[in-house]
Amino acid sequence: MSPRDWVLADAFDRAAPTYDAMVALSPGYHDQLRTAADALVERLPRRTGVAPVVLDLGCGSGASTRALLDAWRDGGRGPLHVTGVDASEGMVEQARQKEWPDGVELVVSDAVTYLRGLPDASVDGVLGAYLLRNVPDRQALVAEVARVLRPTGGFVLHDYSVAGSRRAQAIWAAVCHGIIIPLAAVKRSDVPLHRYLYESVRDFDSVDRMCGRLQEAGMTDVRHRSYPGWQDGLVHTVVGRRAA
């Protein structure tokens, strides 16, 4: 397959059967998703008798959706409506094979296209885990999220970013070429997809640029955090709110 013919959603379709096993080998992967989910849940409204409406954009096989549900449940709260959206049919099919409570919907769609079909101010919170660097028009996605959020609604991005840090760039290159790509071959996962993972992170926005995108879309209270260990400066959670 030539690079011209390579399509990201198709690559995720091929990798879907082994995806959960691959990410399970990533140190802190699920704990970090939970931290990002907690950050969004903290920003959701508490309306008696009304379930908040949340989007999980780039939901993949459902790990981030599960993190959102667990974070909401562990706070002793009532029902939550979550729509998981992903462009890969294979990944959504993996998610659909899992057990979900009422209020969870899983949709195959490009994230920006899905957002453009929603009314203004119709969503309470949006999570985008490992999403933004895979979107061709990043600012369009952020602008659409800002549009569909209700006033004070929260937006949480969770992703790798190494721009502006030689240390982070060197660690990322070593981990990808020394561990992730060889392991993909051993696990018979989609090796070109994991090469793309390396390149997409290498070429992605800096954390400052991610924060700037939210601010340019009119979001407030924008902040970010990284994670300890070797992933310090590599994995980040960026949060913001739609202005009241």
Side-chain angles (χ1 to χ4, degrees):
M1 180 179 295
S2 72
R4 183 183 301 274
D5 296 328
W6 193 82
V7 176
L8 184 58
D10 293 344
F12 274 111
D13 287 348
R14 293 189 295 272
T18 59
Y19 188 81
D20 284 349
M22 286 292 295
V23 299
L25 299 174
S26 176
Y29 180 86
H30 290 287
D31 289 341
Q32 292 163 5
L33 277 182
R34 175 57 189 268
T35 298
D38 284 337
L40 183 59
V41 163
E42 290 171 3
R43 288 159 175 79
L44 293 179
R46 310 290 186 261
R47 297 192 296 266
T48 303
V50 179
V53 176
V54 176
L55 303 180
D56 179 16
L57 301 180
C59 67
S61 60
S64 50
T65 309
R66 183 71 63 191
L68 280 168
L69 292 170
D70 289 348
W72 183 255
R73 178 204 62 204
D74 289 351
R77 301 172 178 95
L80 181 70
H81 183 85
V82 182
T83 300
V85 180
D86 201 282
S88 165
E89 292 185 15
M91 295 294 278
V92 173
E93 179 57 32
Q94 291 293 312
R96 286 173 175 162
Q97 292 176 21
K98 300 170 182 176
E99 293 187 5
W100 301 102
D102 292 341
V104 174
E105 181 181 8
L106 299 167
V107 176
V108 178
S109 176
D110 166 81
V112 175
T113 299
Y114 183 82
L115 288 166
R116 285 175 173 160
L118 298 179
D120 294 356
S122 58
V123 173
D124 295 301
V126 177
L127 174 64
Y130 306 109
L131 167 76
L132 190 63
R133 64 185 157 82
N134 297 318
V135 175
D137 191 341
R138 296 168 185 166
Q139 200 56 39
L141 181 132
V142 175
E144 284 298 312
V145 167
R147 181 186 65 79
V148 303
L149 280 174
R150 294 189 174 106
T152 74
F155 183 28
V156 175
L157 289 168
H158 179 76
D159 214 326
Y160 295 99
S161 173
V162 299
S165 170
R166 291 185 179 179
R167 171 189 171 276
Q169 291 167 358
I171 292 173
W172 181 243
V175 168
C176 284
H177 294 303
I179 300 174
I180 294 176
I181 295 172
L183 188 59
V186 170
K187 290 285 187 179
R188 297 183 179 179
S189 188
D190 193 279
V191 173
L193 175 61
H194 292 84
R195 292 196 184 108
Y196 165 82
L197 170 65
Y198 164 68
E199 294 169 357
S200 67
V201 172
R202 179 197 65 192
D203 299 335
F204 185 42
D205 291 348
S206 67
V207 173
D208 285 346
R209 183 68 190 109
M210 292 171 68
C211 292
R213 289 187 187 279
L214 270 62
Q215 292 166 335
E216 289 165 16
M219 296 192 192
T220 62
D221 193 25
V222 177
R223 61 190 69 184
H224 95 279
R225 63 155 294 176
S226 188
Y227 293 84
W230 71 269
Q231 292 171 322
D232 181 30
L234 282 83
V235 181
H236 309 269
T237 298
V238 174
V239 303
R241 288 184 185 273
R242 178 174 170 176

